[in-house]
Amino acid sequence: MTYSGSPAPLFGRALCAMITPFTEGGALDLAGAQRLAEKLVAEGCDGLVLSGTTGESPTTSDAEKADLVRAVREAVGSRASILSGIGTFDTRHTVELALEAEKAGADGVLLVSPYYSKPPQDALEAHFRQVADSSGLPIALYDIPGRTGTRIEPDTLLRLAEHPRIVAVKDCSYDFLAAQKVIARTELAYYAGCDEHNLALYAVGGAGYISTVANVAPAQLRAVLDAFDAGDTAGAARLQQQATPLIELMMSAGLPGTVTAKALLNELGLPAGPVRAPLLPAGREAVDGLLAAYREFG
């Protein structure tokens, strides 16, 4: 099945930005990660993005990131693509993570802009190119200026699209016009990184989504894309609208998506565990609201 009349994207259409399960003591829960990954793939995820923002990458070690890739690969085999988040504020460290992800068996990497240091566009482009040159893995750039402080400007993306290993973008820029301009002028697979944009970006030629909400509603979100592909645009819109209350509570109600996704997964008896500091778990009132929205949507 194709999307928007274009070839199926390398990493798939329906990707989950998977949480990283921890034990109650805070250790990496590899068995839990395998169980959750198997469930997500069985319910419609084409790909899993590990150690991204939702996967608490700032508070997991290099060894934990590699162990997570190996464990999830063992669980899902070739049934889904696996991307590993490798972005840091240090180019040398990021290169090391790219090489480790390749050794661990990832199909690609998610590369966020260096945060805090706010490099200008020429330095940002040089950073991305150096990482892309360091391993054989294809790269999805992650544009989320609200967290990194640095936008990947459209002109920079147009130049980076010429690199053979820079093949995709996870877009959290909230600049829909810029996204359409880059989609029109490149072959980059453009993924919605904000769940409220899943259908809208797909409808103008996007590749699909990399979703936090898919941790708890993988089948329902995939149904939006499937309806659109089947020509049922009204049905796709209706399904996307039905997801809006859950998306809003999980992603726009003052708590990070990691916190809300783990809260729901824990309530549903699925592998998640605690968040790592400096994050704190959701309070009871927030959890009850999330559960109500999830049950209504589900």
Side-chain angles (χ1 to χ4, degrees):
M1 186 174 290
T2 58
Y3 74 100
S4 303
S6 302
L10 175 64
F11 302 127
R13 301 175 307 147
L15 280 68
C16 177
M18 197 176 100
I19 60 102
T20 300
F22 299 130
T23 67
E24 287 306 313
L28 184 62
D29 180 5
L30 292 177
Q34 290 181 318
R35 292 196 303 275
L36 181 59
E38 287 175 339
K39 182 180 187 300
L40 293 172
V41 172
E43 295 186 10
C45 291
D46 300 322
L48 302 172
V49 176
L50 310 177
S51 301
T53 305
T54 306
E56 298 180 76
S57 58
T59 53
T60 57
S61 70
D62 294 2
E64 287 175 325
K65 289 178 174 65
D67 287 345
L68 188 61
V69 171
R70 283 189 285 266
V72 172
R73 173 59 74 203
E74 180 182 340
V76 304
S78 61
R79 290 177 292 148
S81 65
I82 295 176
L83 280 73
S84 182
I86 62 166
T88 76
F89 46 67
D90 178 349
T91 303
R92 288 178 297 177
H93 186 196
T94 304
V95 166
E96 292 168 2
L97 288 175
L99 294 172
E100 288 303 313
E102 187 172 24
K103 291 177 186 175
D107 296 303
V109 293
L110 182 71
L111 180 55
V112 74
S113 302
Y115 36 92
Y116 188 76
S117 54
K118 299 181 72 172
Q121 292 296 302
D122 59 345
L124 183 65
E125 182 177 344
H127 167 82
F128 288 143
R129 289 185 181 277
Q130 185 171 341
V131 178
D133 289 338
S134 69
S135 82
L137 291 178
I139 289 174
L141 300 179
Y142 186 7
D143 188 17
I144 184 166
R147 287 182 180 268
T148 66
T150 302
R151 172 80 186 278
I152 310 176
E153 295 291 346
D155 286 346
T156 304
L157 284 171
L158 294 176
R159 291 190 297 272
L160 288 168
E162 299 171 359
H163 195 289
R165 279 189 292 280
I166 296 176
V167 300
V169 174
K170 179 182 178 182
D171 179 36
C172 289
S173 69
Y174 285 96
D175 188 341
F176 201 70
L177 178 60
Q180 292 179 76
K181 289 167 63 176
V182 176
I183 289 170
R185 295 177 60 184
T186 73
E187 295 183 359
L188 291 170
Y190 236 80
Y191 290 94
C194 306
D195 281 274
E196 61 269 36
H197 289 175
N198 287 354
L199 177 58
L201 194 62
Y202 196 61
V204 297
Y209 55 72
I210 299 175
S211 165
T212 294
V213 177
N215 279 280
V216 299
Q220 295 94 323
L221 294 187
R222 184 184 177 111
V224 175
L225 304 188
D226 289 344
F228 187 86
D229 284 341
D232 183 9
T233 55
R238 184 173 60 255
L239 291 168
Q240 179 71 37
Q241 291 161 9
Q242 289 170 357
T244 299
L246 181 62
I247 291 170
E248 183 175 19
L249 278 182
M250 286 189 67
M251 307 305 296
S252 301
L255 292 174
T258 304
V259 173
T260 57
K262 281 196 163 183
L264 268 175
L265 289 168
N266 283 324
E267 289 292 317
L268 297 171
L270 295 168
V275 292
R276 283 183 174 171
L279 296 179
L280 292 173
R284 188 67 248 172
E285 183 178 355
V287 173
D288 289 343
L290 287 163
L291 272 173
Y294 170 81
R295 287 169 177 156
E296 182 177 355
F297 180 43

